[in-house]
Amino acid sequence: MSSTEITITPTEWEIMRMVWAEQTITSPKILELSSNIFDWKSSTVKTLIGRLIDKGYLNKDTSVRPMLLTPAISEEEANYSRIDDKVSQMCTKDRGSLITHLIEKNELSIDEIQEIIELLQEKKQTAPTTVKCLCPVGQCSCHIN
């Protein structure tokens, strides 16, 4: 699914977080967990689970009672899809500042920082002097004289 956009609403995302955390979970367990966080009715939880199954993001095993739910997509895959979707909507010339912003605003471990440094050093070997705007005229300020 990494080549296609993953469309999970914010409320569906909360259900997926529970499924990703447990890896195998029942709908009663989701209802129990969600009741500690949200004021959702059981019908809301069942509707959200049904949507996620219909979208292909949850697998269901109905051979046991209650049925078991497992993720059909990884949390990493879903997060990358969300970020890729947002970045694709930006001018290519603005993407570097977004990455800088993310680094500034987020706590990173020493190992993560080292990994980023190594990746940047590798990318620097083939990086262009400037990044070209690829936006159609009218979708960013690069084309305004």
Side-chain angles (χ1 to χ4, degrees):
M1 275 193 192
S2 57
S3 62
T4 60
E5 182 183 340
I6 296 173
T7 54
I8 301 175
T9 67
T11 50
E12 291 169 347
W13 194 269
E14 297 300 335
I15 299 293
M16 288 302 298
R17 289 188 68 196
M18 294 173 208
V19 177
W20 287 319
E22 298 283 332
Q23 285 301 299
T24 301
I25 193 169
T26 63
S27 56
K29 180 68 174 181
I30 292 173
L31 184 58
E32 175 190 329
L33 293 170
S34 65
S35 69
N36 295 328
I37 307 168
F38 308 104
D39 188 24
W40 292 344
K41 295 179 180 168
S42 64
S43 59
T44 301
V45 172
K46 289 177 184 175
T47 297
L48 293 169
I49 291 169
R51 286 184 193 161
L52 290 163
I53 291 168
D54 291 345
K55 289 180 178 183
Y57 303 143
L58 284 181
N59 297 315
K60 65 179 179 177
D61 178 357
T62 57
S63 67
V64 293
R65 283 296 212 211
M67 78 173 164
L68 296 176
L69 300 165
T70 57
I73 57 169
S74 71
E75 185 173 11
E76 181 179 69
E77 182 181 7
N79 279 320
Y80 289 169
S81 176
R82 284 173 91 181
I83 295 296
D84 289 346
D85 179 53
K86 296 299 178 197
V87 170
S88 73
Q89 296 172 11
M90 297 177 66
C91 177
T92 51
K93 294 179 83 167
D94 295 336
R95 293 176 184 176
S97 65
L98 171 66
I99 294 166
T100 301
H101 170 79
L102 290 171
I103 291 171
E104 288 174 346
K105 295 292 181 180
N106 292 280
E107 185 174 18
L108 302 167
S109 70
I110 290 173
D111 287 345
E112 290 168 326
I113 292 169
Q114 186 58 44
E115 186 178 341
I116 292 168
I117 289 169
E118 290 171 10
L119 178 60
L120 288 173
Q121 287 173 336
E122 185 180 309
K123 287 195 72 78
K124 185 177 181 180
Q125 300 302 313
T126 58
T129 306
T130 59
V131 175
K132 294 179 182 177
C133 173
L134 301 176
C135 300
V137 172
Q139 287 201 333
C140 72
S141 61
C142 295
H143 306 287
I144 297 173
N145 294 327

